Amino acid sequence: MSSQSPVEAPEHVLRLLSQLHKVSLEQEATITKTGKVTYSGVIDELKESQPDRAPKSEFDTIMLDKFIALDEDKCHFVYQLINATGATNVVEAGTSFGVSTIYLALAVAKTKAATGKSGTVIATEKELQKAETARKYWKQCGEVVEREIDLRVGDLLETLKVDLPEVDLLLLDIWSVLALPTLKTVLPKLRYGAVVLADNTISGAKGYADLLAFLRAPENGFQNTTLPYTNGFEMSVYLPRTK
Ligand SMILES: C[S@@+](CC[C@H](N)C(=O)[O-])C[C@H]1O[C@@H](n2cnc3c(N)ncnc32)[C@H](O)[C@@H]1O
């Protein structure tokens, strides 16, 4: 059962969000034997079922028309966290069709209105078609969402290298193999107390081994907890001794 929604938004936006979550879950149920999608899980299944094909490009092809949206209750949590911490500069690693981005935009808009601070949601998607579809959904939501988002199309390991403000929150909703390289790209811009969230860190623990080892090494300055949402949701707070 999904949790009570904290999200304040026009009715048509709330309706669109419920529809998109529903389609995303229906799609996910068809991708793997378990109904759960993690990068390493799908790659393992592909290696077994299609040993003569390149699993990484096969994976990318399968994902071209898939949402793989962040679960609704996790989206509610991120929305709350942005409002609670006063975050206005948010980076989303992995935007797909832009479902979680809608929550980020609504929450950042609310924080900005309450605090007078400036800020942006920096969204990232490497697939042009997915980026275009995301833009279409944001347009349906209207200005309240559209104007908050700076969508960077291309490989995020390149697009996040430039023009990053000081970052309050980083959402890692990306294939696990990219999570640590993404964190390292954004790390110089994380403010003291910034929050890093990573999805599926229980079910995808194998794929996330390098990320979790980095976050948990005391010298890297993160304070960590695994939130008990379905498949796990890692929440790390950046509190380096020297920043
Ligand atoms: C799990 S989905 C993101 C879901 C989205 N956050 C949501 O809740 O709607 C991950 C997305 O990351 C994109 N992606 C994968 N590698 C990327 C890269 N190197 N740079 C940018 N985006 C990438 C994929 O194309 C995919 O659409």
Side-chain angles (χ1 to χ4, degrees), residues 39 42-43 46 50 52-64 126-127 175:
Y39 179 79
V42 177
I43 292 280
L46 286 171
Q50 307 179 2
D52 23 321
R53 287 202 162 149
K56 285 186 185 149
S57 68
E58 197 62 16
F59 178 89
D60 281 348
T61 308
I62 294 171
M63 293 304 162
L64 265 184
K126 81 171 159 62
E127 306 291 351
W175 314 143

Side-chain angles (χ1 to χ4, degrees):
M1 195 181 94
S2 69
S3 57
Q4 189 190 348
S5 175
V7 179
E8 269 180 45
E11 199 47 46
H12 75 281
V13 177
L14 297 175
R15 253 198 323 271
L16 177 67
L17 286 170
S18 318
Q19 280 164 13
L20 299 182
H21 280 297
K22 185 165 173 283
V23 179
S24 180
L25 288 175
E26 286 166 2
Q27 285 183 336
E28 276 199 56
T30 66
I31 299 172
T32 59
K33 288 181 201 151
T34 59
K36 277 189 214 130
V37 173
T38 62
Y39 179 79
S40 54
V42 177
I43 292 280
D44 286 351
E45 282 195 18
L46 286 171
K47 280 183 189 156
E48 206 183 299
S49 62
Q50 307 179 2
D52 23 321
R53 287 202 162 149
K56 285 186 185 149
S57 68
E58 197 62 16
F59 178 89
D60 281 348
T61 308
I62 294 171
M63 293 304 162
L64 265 184
D65 64 348
K66 305 294 185 303
F67 280 82
I68 321 289
L70 190 68
D71 291 335
E72 193 173 15
D73 53 358
K74 294 174 184 171
C75 288
H76 291 173
F77 174 74
V78 184
Y79 178 92
Q80 291 278 65
L81 192 62
I82 288 171
N83 289 159
T85 58
T88 55
N89 282 313
V90 172
V91 174
E92 176 179 63
T95 289
S96 188
F97 298 136
V99 178
S100 51
T101 332
I102 295 174
Y103 292 89
L104 302 179
L106 291 167
V108 161
K110 196 168 169 183
T111 304
K112 282 164 68 175
T115 62
K117 288 198 281 181
S118 60
T120 316
V121 175
I122 297 171
T124 56
E125 178 50 57
K126 81 171 159 62
E127 306 291 351
L128 183 60
Q129 299 143 262
K130 295 190 96 171
E132 279 168 2
T133 305
R135 282 205 172 100
K136 192 187 80 189
Y137 290 132
W138 301 337
K139 195 172 175 54
Q140 282 179 37
C141 293
E143 271 289 285
V144 63
V145 165
E146 260 188 313
R147 69 171 170 238
E148 304 298 339
I149 304 169
D150 163 12
L151 174 60
R152 301 190 180 181
V153 183
D155 180 356
L156 54 74
L157 297 181
E158 294 304 320
T159 62
L160 292 179
K161 270 187 193 154
V162 287
D163 291 337
L164 269 196
E166 194 178 52
V167 172
D168 301 309
L169 186 141
L170 167 65
L171 173 61
L172 294 168
D173 193 17
I174 190 76
W175 314 143
S176 54
V177 70
L178 282 165
L180 182 57
T182 305
L183 174 60
K184 286 185 173 169
T185 304
V186 176
L187 193 61
K189 291 294 187 173
L190 286 185
R191 74 157 164 84
Y192 184 87
V195 176
V196 176
L197 296 163
D199 192 26
N200 292 337
T201 47
I202 294 176
S203 60
K206 181 178 139 203
Y208 279 123
D210 60 348
L211 175 80
L212 296 176
F214 184 88
L215 289 170
R216 288 166 189 174
E219 66 275 18
N220 292 326
F222 288 93
Q223 180 176 287
N224 308 287
T225 188
T226 307
L227 301 171
Y229 285 97
T230 306
N231 300 322
F233 199 35
E234 199 73 10
M235 174 176 167
S236 304
V237 184
Y238 188 49
L239 302 168
R241 291 221 173 83
T242 55
K243 200 155 189 171

